[in-house]
Amino acid sequence: EPEVTQTPSHQVTQMGQEVILRCVPISNHLYFYWYRQILGQKVEFLVSFYNNEISEKSEIFDDQFSVERPDGSNFTLKIRSTKLEDSAMYFCASSLSFLGEQYFGPGTRLTVT
Amino acid sequence: SQQGEEDPQALSIQEGENATMNCSYKTSINNLQWYRQNSGRGLVHLILIRSNEREKHSGRLRVTLDTSKKSSSLLITASRAADTASYFCATVEETSGSRLTFGEGTQLTVNP
């Protein structure tokens, strides 16, 4: 069964450093998402991406964040200058249709020290 | 209450019993999706129910949706120890594109 994959599973970085989180969505899906879950808190939406552009973003997704689909398979989330409060589990999700099921990857645990 | 609030926060049952979890939300929705999350792991999609649907089944799962009460329930029948996990409802609001808004979740423990 096709699934969303994410790398790395765990990333440790120092405050102020740039990180790139990688995702491979399900191959025929068209809508891509990033969410995050701070430990002990709710899953929060960050950004949605369709047709090579951002379709929606939350207030969390400020200028420090960017997303890219550099080729036909990868979908990346870049944080330019990480802060301690960026420590969280980051989930990528993909969907075949606009209001369809969103399938999540296993997540990348980002720890900013 | 917040969008996508689950009730109860925690539920402990014996294997073989049924588990019912409830979710309430505040705004009009396009659909509601239920997910399972094992501790520290990813979110597994369980079922999607659209705003014009009232009930859906998938294996041992039964989901209902009452848009007049802005609530949904997830019933797991004949529970197993492997069902132990956190369960979340997530709504796609009519005015918020396709983003999912998650609740706090219900922690289900199924005792063998």
Side-chain angles (χ1 to χ4, degrees):
Chain A
E1 187 172 320
E3 56 183 23
V4 177
T5 59
Q6 290 185 243
T7 54
S9 56
H10 192 187
Q11 173 96 44
V12 181
T13 190
Q14 289 191 326
M15 201 166 50
Q17 295 296 304
E18 175 182 287
V19 294
I20 297 176
L21 310 182
R22 292 184 166 80
C23 167
V24 179
I26 294 172
S27 63
N28 62 339
H29 283 190
L30 302 174
Y31 297 84
F32 313 113
Y33 305 85
W34 285 101
Y35 293 83
R36 78 173 186 191
Q37 184 179 31
I38 294 170
L39 189 63
Q41 297 187 23
K42 292 194 287 188
V43 176
E44 302 172 290
F45 168 80
L46 293 177
V47 67
S48 60
F49 192 86
Y50 169 72
N51 200 26
N52 274 323
E53 58 183 31
I54 290 174
S55 41
E56 206 184 352
K57 59 184 180 179
S58 72
E59 54 280 358
I60 302 168
F61 194 88
D62 61 22
D63 292 344
Q64 293 299 312
F65 291 87
S66 63
V67 289
E68 197 178 31
R69 188 153 162 84
D71 52 43
S73 59
N74 291 284
F75 179 50
T76 61
L77 174 69
K78 182 193 292 186
I79 309 175
R80 288 191 185 83
S81 178
T82 50
K83 307 183 186 93
L84 293 176
E85 54 266 34
D86 293 328
S87 294
M89 181 76 94
Y90 287 80
F91 293 108
C92 172
S94 70
S95 180
L96 182 60
S97 61
F98 178 61
L99 295 176
E101 291 86 350
Q102 291 185 29
Y103 295 95
F104 282 69
T108 292
R109 181 166 297 284
L110 177 65
T111 303
V112 182
T113 61
Chain B
S1 63
Q2 298 177 25
Q3 186 78 352
E5 241 181 35
E6 286 91 342
D7 164 52
Q9 289 187 331
L11 180 63
S12 182
I13 59 173
Q14 295 299 122
E15 221 169 14
E17 293 179 342
N18 296 341
T20 299
M21 289 159 273
N22 302 296
C23 167
S24 60
Y25 56 91
K26 292 181 75 176
T27 65
S28 296
I29 61 171
N30 281 310
N31 66 56
L32 186 147
Q33 304 185 39
W34 283 92
Y35 289 85
R36 183 184 76 229
Q37 185 180 38
N38 290 82
S39 181
R41 308 285 292 276
L43 294 153
V44 175
H45 189 274
L46 297 176
I47 203 161
L48 179 153
I49 187 163
R50 293 185 168 76
S51 59
N52 61 353
E53 297 175 313
R54 291 297 165 257
E55 188 170 311
K56 280 187 89 167
H57 297 254
S58 177
R60 293 184 296 113
L61 305 181
R62 173 177 166 252
V63 167
T64 63
L65 179 65
D66 187 334
T67 53
S68 66
K69 293 181 180 175
K70 292 187 168 55
S71 68
S72 174
S73 68
L74 170 67
L75 168 68
I76 304 174
T77 59
S79 62
R80 306 165 182 166
D83 295 327
T84 294
S86 292
Y87 290 82
F88 297 89
C89 70
T91 55
V92 176
E93 299 173 31
E94 276 186 358
T95 57
S96 296
S98 61
R99 68 165 78 179
L100 288 169
T101 301
F102 280 81
E104 306 267 0
T106 293
Q107 172 61 48
L108 174 67
T109 302
V110 182
N111 301 300

